[in-house]
Amino acid sequence: MDIKYEMGNLILLIANRCLLGKQFGESKLEQVSTLLHELFDNGFHLISLFFPYLPTPQHRRRDKARAMLGEMIHEAVRSRRNSGVAEDDVLQKFLDSKYINGRCMTENEIAGLLICMMFAAQHTSSSTSTWTGACLLSHGHRSYLAAAIQEQKRIIQQHGDRINWGILLQMTTLTHCIKEALRLHPPANLLIRHASKSFSVQTRQGHRYQIPKGHTLATCTTVGNRLPYIYKDPNVYDPSRFGPGREEDKVGGKFSYTPFSAGRHVCLGEDFAYMQIKVIWSHLLRNFDLELISPFPEEEWEKFIPGPKGKVMVTYKRRRLL
C-alpha cells in the first residue's frame, strides 16, 4: 500500500468528523476529498507564494475548488441554523460564537476558517505521519522502530488496549520519533512574520542588524532545524537527541526547534497533531508488521508546503502485539 495516500485519506476522515461533523458523512466525503486535493495540488507551488493571483490553469483549478468547497460549507451552515440541532464539532463552535459586539459569524467567515483549519489539520499531519513511517521503516533506522514497538508492549502490559490522553503522554519514544521526523522534514519550510516595531538582531559572530518597523521577515525551518551548533550530526535521524541528558531542541533556547513555529505565535494545533499521529502509529505498531519497499522518498521542493514526493510503498502483515 501507499502510506502517503492512506494517511491522507485517514486524516481527512478525522478532520472531517472533528471540524464538519455528521453533515459531511460518507456521501460527501469523496467530493470533499477531491476538492481538497485540488486545493493542495494547485495552490502550494512556489509560484503561488510569490504570485498568488497569477491567472494560470493551476490557479483557476484552485479557485474553482475553493468556491465549490465554500458553497458546500455554506449549505451546511444554513442547514444547521435552520434545523436548530446542535452537534459536537468545530462547525457548531463557530455557529455559537459571537464577536465582542454581539455579531455572529457570517457564512463566509465560517467557511474561510474551516477550510484553513482543514488544510492545517489534514495536509501537514498526513505529511508528518508519512515521514514518521518512512523514517521508522527505513533499514538504517530499524533500531528506533524496535524501541517504539517495545514501548507499545510495555504500555499494553500496563493498560491493555485502552488508549487515552494520559496513556498517549507515556509514549515518549514514539513522540521523539515523530519529533525527529518533523525536525528533518517540517511540513512548512518557511515562516514569515511582519515586524510590528523596529528592533535589532545580533548574530553569533557579533554582527548586528537593524530590522525596521513594517518589514517582512522570513526564516527557513529546514535550515534552522539542522544547525550543527545545536544538533549533533544534524542530517542523521536520531530521536534519542530529544531524550534526557541531551534535549538538543533546548540548546539554543525556545527557537531551536521550529516545525510548529515558536514563541507567542506557536501553532495552536501542536498538541492535537502529536495526539493524532501517536494514535495512528501506536495502532499500526500494535497490529501490523510493516516494511518499506520503495526508496526513501525525496522532498517536494517545488512546493512551499513540501511533502514526500511520489508513492511511499509499504508491505504489511497483520499480527497481534502481546
Side-chain angles (χ1 to χ4, degrees), residues 131-194:
W131 282 121
T132 298
C135 290
L136 281 175
L137 301 177
S138 295
H139 290 293
H141 306 143
R142 301 289 289 190
S143 60
Y144 299 114
L145 174 63
I149 291 174
Q150 190 60 40
E151 179 180 65
Q152 293 301 314
K153 287 183 178 180
R154 175 180 57 80
I155 291 176
I156 290 173
Q157 291 171 358
Q158 294 177 348
H159 304 286
D161 288 331
R162 184 168 60 92
I163 293 180
N164 57 28
W165 175 252
I167 294 171
L168 288 173
L169 292 178
Q170 297 179 32
M171 299 180 186
T172 54
T173 299
L174 183 55
T175 300
H176 293 163
C177 291
I178 298 168
K179 195 170 183 176
E180 180 70 339
L182 272 165
R183 183 185 71 84
L184 291 170
H185 309 285
N189 61 9
L190 194 66
L191 299 176
I192 300 175
R193 294 291 183 264
H194 181 77

Side-chain angles (χ1 to χ4, degrees), residues 17-260:
R17 180 62 185 89
C18 292
L19 299 178
L20 302 178
K22 297 177 182 178
Q23 284 177 285
F24 283 74
E26 293 183 5
S27 61
K28 295 183 179 180
L29 184 61
E30 184 175 352
Q31 185 178 1
V32 171
S33 176
T34 300
L35 292 174
L36 283 175
H37 281 302
E38 282 288 296
L39 275 175
F40 297 154
D41 292 343
N42 295 295
F44 296 133
H45 290 268
L46 287 175
I47 194 173
S48 302
L49 175 64
F50 297 105
F51 304 102
Y53 304 111
L54 204 64
T56 64
Q58 285 182 328
H59 287 169
R60 291 191 182 98
R61 290 193 293 269
R62 174 202 64 188
D63 295 342
K64 182 179 179 181
R66 170 59 177 84
M68 294 176 66
L69 190 57
E71 184 53 38
M72 291 178 68
I73 296 175
H74 289 178
E75 291 178 7
V77 170
R78 290 191 289 266
S79 175
R80 186 79 64 88
R81 280 175 170 164
N82 291 335
S83 69
V85 177
E87 300 285 352
D88 185 19
D89 51 40
V90 175
L91 171 58
Q92 189 66 47
K93 301 298 182 185
F94 286 157
L95 287 170
D96 296 338
S97 64
K98 293 183 180 180
Y99 287 96
I100 194 170
N101 62 2
R103 178 175 74 81
C104 294
M105 295 178 65
T106 67
E107 292 180 9
N108 282 333
E109 290 169 338
I110 293 174
L113 283 170
L114 283 173
I115 291 172
C116 180
M117 293 179 71
M118 288 178 74
F119 156 70
Q122 199 275 345
H123 184 73
T124 55
S125 292
S126 63
S127 174
T128 301
S129 298
T130 304
W131 282 121
T132 298
C135 290
L136 281 175
L137 301 177
S138 295
H139 290 293
H141 306 143
R142 301 289 289 190
S143 60
Y144 299 114
L145 174 63
I149 291 174
Q150 190 60 40
E151 179 180 65
Q152 293 301 314
K153 287 183 178 180
R154 175 180 57 80
I155 291 176
I156 290 173
Q157 291 171 358
Q158 294 177 348
H159 304 286
D161 288 331
R162 184 168 60 92
I163 293 180
N164 57 28
W165 175 252
I167 294 171
L168 288 173
L169 292 178
Q170 297 179 32
M171 299 180 186
T172 54
T173 299
L174 183 55
T175 300
H176 293 163
C177 291
I178 298 168
K179 195 170 183 176
E180 180 70 339
L182 272 165
R183 183 185 71 84
L184 291 170
H185 309 285
N189 61 9
L190 194 66
L191 299 176
I192 300 175
R193 294 291 183 264
H194 181 77
S196 58
K197 61 181 180 180
S198 299
F199 62 97
S200 63
V201 176
Q202 183 171 329
T203 69
R204 295 177 71 248
Q205 293 77 24
H207 303 298
R208 184 169 291 277
Y209 295 89
Q210 296 295 325
I211 311 298
K213 178 181 178 180
H215 277 217
T216 298
L217 300 91
T219 180
C220 180
T221 53
T222 304
V223 174
N225 289 331
R226 300 191 187 207
L227 294 174
Y229 56 85
I230 293 178
Y231 296 102
K232 180 181 178 181
D233 298 324
N235 296 317
V236 175
Y237 180 78
D238 180 11
S240 63
R241 71 173 75 248
F242 301 111
R246 293 184 65 180
E247 297 181 321
E248 295 179 6
D249 56 317
K250 298 179 182 178
V251 170
K254 61 184 178 181
F255 296 105
S256 298
Y257 183 82
T258 57
F260 289 97

